[in-house]
Amino acid sequence: MASAWWPCLILALLSGLAASGFPRSPFLLLGKRSLPEGVANGVEVYSTKINSKVTSRFAHNVVTTRAVNRADTAKEVSFDVELPKTAFITNFTLTIDGVTYPGNVKEKEVAKKQYEKAISQGKTAGLVKASGRKLEKFTVSVNVAAGSKVTFELTYEELLKRHKGKYEMYLKVQPKQLIKHFEIDVDIFEPQGISMLDAEASFITNDLLGSALTKSFSGKKGHVSFKPSLDQQRSCPTCTDSLLNGDFTITYDVNRESPGNVQIVNGYFVHFFAPQGLPVVPKNVAFVIDISGSMAGRKLEQTKEALLRILEDMEEDYLNFILFSGDVSTWKEHLVQATPENLQEARTFVKSMEDKGMTNINDGLLRGISMLNKAREEHRVPERSTSIVIMLTDGDANVGESRPEKIQENVRNAIGGKFPLYNLGFGNNLNYNFLENMALENHGFARRIYEDSDADLQLQGFYEEVANPLLTGVEMEYPENAILGLTQNTYQHFYDGSEIVVAGHLVGEDVNSFKADVKGHGAANDLTFTEEVTTEKITLWNRAVPSTFSWLDTVTVTQDGLSMMINRKKNMVVSFGDGVTFVVVLHQVWKKHPVHRDFLGFYVVDSHRMSAQTHGLLGQFFQPFDFKVFDIRPGSDPTKPDATLMVKNHQLTVTRGSQRDYRKDASIGTKVVCWFVHNNGEGLIDGVHTDYIVPNLF
């Protein structure tokens, strides 16, 4: 029997706000269709807004719905939001006639007990339940007096994961009635810069979507807005029900000049790692498939269809099929390579699979694990290959070893941390928590396959996630003296199109730099990726609002007639409209040099555009002035002659030498012959050099 799934969160609130005897309907009163425009059962939802701000893959979402009871009697108003299963609720409030009631978020076991108690006492409470493949539903209802207004505001957050080369933000749109003000507004900020951005809706055609949807991105910023009018919401030109019922999905990716990117904020760092262009590591795959009687019919047929598609992408890999019911059988005695001949034989075997008997999960898994271990020990598979167990079942173990905790122990001991286990649970009649826990403790994950017409595509989609390992044995290393704590920093695999994320706490907020090393085994050799991290910042102030960048950025910012362009680890170009342009060059020296350190060079590209009133150590020379060099003679260095410089009524001794102009080439510069003035420029500059030294710039 499948285990019960309890909500991960409960929101118990309004301890003094009882329902006043008003019946709690099992369905949402807001959900009725084809009622007078904008009003359902006397309640009008006149505004719904989803406001999202994404920064460095982390999404902060606020869902706000406003309603008014236009009936002559009190009405129950319900609010439900479907949110991603990977998200977590951080806040919820109800505002009734201007009075705000804050919520109190609870977890799991406490949630279940407090929710049941609150409901039994007639108090307002909300809970989260599973809702479909990717979502969970948060629901809360409240009794609202005639003529009163209510505002529901739910805040939830999630870390967006990279999947098949893109980050995905998934929003469920289901207002169930026409809403005067409906809007989705998403702002994205990615320090690496945005390389692509797209948005699509499953419930509306592209023709209608075009005028309601705007999307744009430039540099580090992206924006998506979906704001359909009342007419665009109608299911037909004369209808009063809404066609907004489906998925609204935003996808984007970032620029990747290097495999990794490290960002530092307030004493913490986050390290994003996603190398590209690496060859795929060959796989050794043991497919452990449930063919018990409960798999009969459509489930087994869809499993076959998925496996046949997967076989098309397994050239040169090694594989075997382990089938379990009351007993265990295999296609081959050991793993074989996916040659054309073997693949054709494998297709014939898959097509011949038939359901029978009971469910012996323990023996099926142990046979597959043993086969992978033996293949490695007997050198039947390439040394630089990686092993994977993929197990599919639709029920619980009911023959042989059937205790979940014992099966977990057996599997954990057999794998010994050497390779991952991925569990696929087909349907709802199984102990999914058992499958998930067993997969997680063996460096894999579980996935529920929903009994639907596209179950075969769900299975194939899962396989595509793990089909292309680029690295194995990935270790993220950081200097021990710079880090206080880390999230998980070792991974069995890095798969193409995904991303590894590690966060940590720095020893002190004044840490200027540290080095991050990523080591892993590739298809041909062992690889090490090094990322130099610096907290040196470039801050652009717009009145009192700062925008902060670093020398690791490549970005262009234009505002109020000023243009600033940062070229990663090279220079920064600042231009004022049609006026002067400055170039600040980052001069980097050998890191182990005993004396010299990295420094900034300040250059003026077109000084003739400067005002005649410009002054300063450089500014006093922007306008033409008279000078004369004469009496060239041998100096103390035979290669560097001396001369006399007549300038500003002073005769100065100068020495011939050379300097480099780094405005066009920040690395080696251009050699320029010049005369050097001695004694800190005395006689050449106005005043003395100490007049131009200040304790700080601001």
Side-chain angles (χ1 to χ4, degrees):
M1 180 181 294
S3 64
W5 188 96
W6 290 113
C8 293
L9 296 166
I10 179 174
L11 192 142
L13 70 165
L14 302 182
S15 59
L17 184 64
S20 302
F22 192 85
R24 292 190 174 274
S25 172
F27 55 88
L28 296 183
L29 296 177
L30 300 185
K32 292 185 179 180
R33 294 178 178 268
S34 302
L35 291 171
E37 183 168 298
V39 179
N41 197 35
V43 175
E44 178 188 5
V45 178
Y46 59 90
S47 175
T48 291
K49 183 171 184 179
I50 303 172
N51 185 278
S52 300
K53 297 195 180 297
V54 182
T55 302
S56 298
R57 290 75 149 170
F58 193 80
H60 177 88
N61 310 284
V62 180
V63 183
T64 306
T65 291
R66 293 181 169 87
V68 58
N69 180 5
R70 299 200 179 280
D72 296 330
T73 59
K75 292 288 182 179
E76 184 181 62
V77 181
S78 295
F79 170 75
D80 61 50
V81 174
E82 293 190 75
L83 56 153
K85 291 183 177 180
T86 54
F88 55 96
I89 295 172
T90 57
N91 192 39
F92 180 75
T93 61
L94 275 177
T95 301
I96 301 177
D97 289 340
V99 180
T100 299
Y101 303 88
N104 183 16
V105 180
K106 301 292 182 181
E107 295 183 1
K108 293 190 177 178
E109 294 303 321
V110 175
K112 174 179 175 290
K113 295 176 181 178
Q114 291 197 6
Y115 176 77
E116 293 174 346
K117 182 178 179 181
I119 294 301
S120 67
Q121 295 176 352
K123 298 176 181 178
T124 299
L127 77 160
V128 178
K129 287 185 177 180
S131 174
R133 301 178 184 179
K134 298 182 179 181
L135 300 172
E136 293 175 338
K137 179 180 287 188
F138 171 84
T139 302
V140 67
S141 300
V142 65
N143 198 43
V144 178
S148 291
K149 293 183 177 180
V150 59
T151 298
F152 302 89
E153 185 173 283
L154 176 73
T155 303
Y156 69 92
E157 299 176 344
E158 66 170 325
L159 178 66
L160 304 182
K161 291 188 176 181
R162 192 164 184 256
H163 175 67
K164 296 183 180 179
K166 299 175 183 178
Y167 303 99
E168 181 181 84
M169 186 173 182
Y170 188 83
L171 302 172
K172 188 70 171 182
V173 177
Q174 199 175 22
K176 300 182 181 179
Q177 65 184 86
L178 300 178
I179 297 178
K180 289 181 180 178
H181 305 288
F182 182 89
E183 182 179 6
I184 296 174
D185 190 77
V186 180
D187 287 302
I188 302 172
F189 178 80
E190 288 291 347
Q192 290 173 260
I194 298 173
S195 62
M196 63 80 60
L197 173 65
D198 198 9
E200 59 182 21
S202 65
F203 49 83
I204 191 170
T205 64
N206 289 334
D207 292 340
L208 292 174
L209 183 65
S211 57
L213 174 69
T214 59
K215 53 188 177 183
S216 62
F217 70 94
S218 177
K220 299 183 177 187
K221 297 181 179 180
H223 182 253
V224 174
S225 175
F226 177 60
K227 196 173 182 179
S229 65
L230 276 175
D231 286 341
Q232 289 173 320
Q233 296 177 43
R234 300 180 194 277
S235 59
C236 71
T238 58
C239 293
T240 58
D241 56 342
S242 174
L243 60 74
L244 303 187
N245 185 6
D247 307 328
F248 188 84
T249 306
I250 298 170
T251 55
Y252 74 92
D253 201 16
V254 300
N255 297 320
R256 300 181 191 278
E257 293 188 1
S258 62
N261 176 261
V262 181
Q263 299 172 22
I264 299 176
V265 179
N266 297 329
Y268 292 85
F269 80 90
V270 59
H271 186 181
F272 302 101
F273 179 73
Q276 301 180 102
L278 299 177
V280 175
V281 176
K283 302 186 302 300
N284 316 310
V285 187
F287 293 97
V288 182
I289 308 298
D290 182 353
I291 58 166
S292 62
S294 59
M295 285 286 290
R298 187 60 178 147
K299 282 193 284 190
L300 187 57
E301 289 304 312
Q302 289 177 317
T303 300
K304 292 180 182 180
E305 291 169 13
L307 290 175
L308 290 173
R309 290 196 184 97
I310 289 171
L311 287 172
E312 295 175 5
D313 297 325
M314 290 204 68
E315 294 182 4
E316 306 307 320
D317 288 332
Y318 286 73
L319 76 153
N320 203 347
F321 294 102
I322 297 89
L323 310 183
F324 67 91
S325 52
D327 52 15
V328 178
S329 62
T330 63
W331 169 45
K332 297 287 187 181
E333 289 300 314
H334 52 75
L335 264 67
V336 297
Q337 190 173 16
T339 62
E341 296 78 11
N342 284 336
L343 286 174
Q344 184 56 45
E345 188 179 340
R347 294 185 187 99
T348 301
F349 176 80
V350 167
K351 293 176 183 177
S352 68
M353 291 192 313
E354 296 181 353
D355 62 277
K356 59 177 182 178
M358 308 285 278
T359 307
N360 192 338
I361 292 176
N362 183 78
D363 289 359
L365 277 172
L366 294 183
R367 180 75 66 86
I369 295 166
S370 173
M371 196 171 289
L372 289 173
N373 285 330
K374 181 177 282 190
R376 181 72 69 186
E377 293 166 1
E378 297 177 352
H379 305 289
R380 292 182 178 274
V381 295
E383 182 179 352
R384 286 194 172 273
S385 62
T386 185
S387 299
I388 298 173
V389 181
I390 298 176
M391 193 267 286
L392 169 71
T393 183
D394 75 331
D396 296 338
N398 55 22
V399 67
E401 180 55 70
S402 59
R403 295 169 295 173
E405 64 279 2
K406 186 60 179 178
I407 297 175
Q408 285 182 233
E409 179 185 343
N410 292 343
V411 169
R412 183 171 60 248
N413 292 337
I415 292 180
K418 295 187 291 293
F419 45 80
L421 165 66
Y422 298 102
N423 287 331
L424 304 177
F426 207 142
N428 293 309
N429 297 320
L430 47 76
N431 185 344
Y432 186 77
N433 287 341
F434 158 63
L435 297 181
E436 185 172 49
N437 292 336
M438 184 164 57
L440 289 174
E441 66 182 14
N442 289 286
H443 306 290
F445 58 81
R447 184 70 49 81
R448 190 185 295 276
I449 303 301
Y450 292 87
E451 295 186 50
D452 210 335
S453 59
D454 67 341
D456 55 329
L457 298 180
Q458 296 177 53
L459 288 166
Q460 186 183 0
F462 155 78
Y463 181 76
E464 290 173 354
E465 292 183 50
V466 300
N468 297 306
L470 302 184
L471 292 171
T472 65
V474 181
E475 297 181 2
M476 319 281 278
E477 298 179 349
Y478 309 91
E480 293 182 1
N481 60 350
I483 306 298
L484 285 177
L486 282 176
T487 58
Q488 180 183 345
N489 65 323
T490 60
Y491 292 84
Q492 285 272 4
H493 292 102
F494 169 76
Y495 293 106
D496 190 23
S498 66
E499 182 175 63
I500 292 176
V501 182
V502 178
H505 188 188
L506 297 173
V507 170
E509 293 190 12
D510 58 346
V511 174
N512 289 321
S513 64
F514 69 89
K515 186 176 72 170
D517 287 329
V518 182
K519 298 179 180 179
H521 308 298
N525 51 17
D526 291 347
L527 301 171
T528 298
F529 305 87
T530 299
E531 189 76 15
E532 294 288 341
V533 185
T534 177
T535 57
E536 294 174 352
K537 298 177 181 177
I538 301 168
T539 304
L540 179 65
W541 291 83
N542 181 11
R543 297 179 177 87
V545 180
S547 297
T548 302
F549 309 92
S550 82
W551 287 106
L552 299 177
D553 291 323
T554 297
V555 66
T556 299
V557 177
T558 301
Q559 61 183 39
D560 298 335
L562 178 143
S563 174
M564 182 192 74
M565 179 173 65
I566 301 173
N567 297 304
R568 177 183 170 92
K569 294 185 178 181
K570 293 181 180 178
N571 59 32
M572 178 178 69
V573 180
V574 181
S575 302
F576 296 90
D578 296 329
V580 70
T581 296
F582 302 97
V583 178
V584 181
V585 176
L586 174 63
H587 294 286
Q588 295 180 300
V589 300
W590 180 44
K591 295 187 179 300
K592 296 183 180 180
H593 197 286
V595 177
H596 294 163
R597 296 291 182 267
D598 293 354
F599 65 97
L600 301 178
F602 187 85
Y603 304 89
V604 182
V605 176
D606 40 13
S607 58
H608 64 281
R609 295 180 182 272
M610 298 291 287
S611 164
Q613 282 72 46
T614 301
H615 200 269
L617 191 60
L618 298 179
Q620 61 188 291
F621 302 108
F622 286 166
Q623 303 301 326
F625 61 92
D626 295 328
F627 69 93
K628 181 181 179 181
V629 178
F630 60 95
D631 189 21
I632 300 176
R633 55 195 181 273
S636 58
D637 184 340
T639 64
K640 298 178 180 179
D642 287 346
T644 299
L645 170 67
M646 177 62 73
V647 61
K648 296 181 179 180
N649 296 322
H650 297 117
Q651 284 193 10
L652 309 175
T653 297
V654 293
T655 300
R656 174 69 62 86
S658 65
Q659 184 59 278
R660 291 194 175 273
D661 182 348
Y662 291 94
R663 287 175 293 180
K664 294 183 179 179
D665 189 331
S667 58
I668 60 174
T670 303
K671 186 176 181 180
V672 178
V673 177
C674 52
W675 292 101
F676 284 83
V677 180
H678 302 281
N679 300 323
N680 295 314
E682 183 178 350
L684 173 66
I685 63 175
D686 295 341
V688 295
H689 73 281
T690 55
D691 296 338
Y692 302 93
I693 298 175
V694 294
N696 55 67
L697 293 178
F698 304 102

